[in-house]
């Protein structure tokens, strides 16, 4: 627990995981991620609750990777160059069974890339979606042609 929100910010800025975050994201994290408890500040998501969320993660990930081949729509994976949890070689190899997938690597960010460089992440997603619109339209036109036959 912290005495005030300034102490909360100092705490996060001193941690390796958070010191690479975009200032706007850290500000939002503090604004919405902590609460006043008995005159002090504490995380809304208590450490125990967060840990429970990760329980069984390896089991879930194992089964997820063996279902990726079922995904037939265009899919984009955006990963951080410095990510230890999802390195490029793993993501590329694991997703090669997918019909229409792209793997993009962002420079100078880790696993939490959306917090580290939100503007670039938004730009990458927008580019993916811009590319999908003509392809989706072409597919729907082909489906309509097949339906008429």
């Amino acid at each position: 627990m912290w005495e005030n929100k300034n102490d909360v910010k100092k705490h996060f800025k001193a941690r390796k995981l958070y010191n690479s975050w975009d200032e706007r994201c850290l500000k939002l994290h503090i604004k919405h991620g902590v609460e006043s408890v008995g005159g002090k500040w504490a995380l809304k998501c208590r450490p125990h609750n967060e840990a429970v969320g990760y329980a069984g993660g390896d089991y879930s990930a194992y089964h997820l990777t063996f279902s990726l081949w079922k995904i037939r729509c265009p899919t984009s994976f955006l990963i951080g160059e410095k990510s230890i949890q999802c390195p490029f070689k793993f993501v590329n190899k694991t997703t090669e069974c997918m019909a229409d997938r792209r793997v993009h690597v962002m420079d100078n960010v880790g696993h939490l890339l959306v917090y580290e460089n939100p503007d670039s992440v938004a730009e990458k997603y927008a580019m993916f979606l811009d590319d999908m619109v003509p392809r989706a339209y072409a597919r729907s036109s082909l489906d309509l042609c097949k339906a008429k036959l």
Side-chain angles (χ1 to χ4, degrees):
M1 294 187 124
W2 301 277
E3 294 296 324
N4 55 55
K5 282 194 173 181
N6 197 35
D7 288 347
V8 175
K9 184 175 182 178
K10 286 179 189 175
H11 169 82
F12 286 118
K13 292 292 271 183
R15 304 268 175 306
K16 186 177 181 180
L17 176 68
Y18 300 98
N19 68 17
S20 63
W21 282 23
D22 181 279
E23 191 66 30
R24 297 167 296 174
C25 293
L26 183 58
K27 185 177 179 180
L28 288 169
H29 181 65
I30 292 169
K31 180 180 179 180
H32 299 289
V34 298
E35 63 186 351
S36 179
V37 178
K40 295 195 177 208
W41 292 91
L43 292 170
K44 285 183 180 179
C45 180
R46 303 300 191 262
H48 170 76
N49 294 342
E50 186 174 3
V52 169
Y54 288 101
D58 290 341
Y59 177 79
S60 300
Y62 174 80
H63 289 284
L64 171 68
T65 57
F66 285 102
S67 298
L68 290 173
W69 65 271
K70 297 176 184 178
I71 299 173
R72 294 288 171 230
C73 64
T75 307
S76 182
F77 291 88
L78 189 56
I79 59 174
E81 168 188 47
K82 298 177 182 178
S83 176
I84 296 168
Q85 294 85 348
C86 296
F88 172 75
K89 286 182 181 179
F90 171 77
V91 173
N92 196 48
K93 185 70 176 166
T94 304
T95 62
E96 67 185 5
C97 62
M98 297 175 70
D100 190 358
R101 67 91 163 103
R102 295 177 187 161
V103 179
H104 302 277
V105 180
M106 284 184 57
D107 297 333
N108 299 315
V109 292
H111 185 63
L112 300 173
L113 52 137
V114 73
Y115 298 108
E116 298 175 44
N117 194 340
D119 295 329
S120 186
V121 169
E123 183 181 308
K124 297 280 187 200
Y125 283 135
M127 288 170 43
F128 171 73
L129 293 172
D130 285 346
D131 185 46
M132 289 303 101
V133 170
R135 294 171 68 191
Y137 179 74
R139 283 185 179 163
S140 64
S141 297
L142 286 173
D143 290 342
L144 288 173
C145 290
K146 289 179 186 174
K148 291 179 183 177
L149 298 175

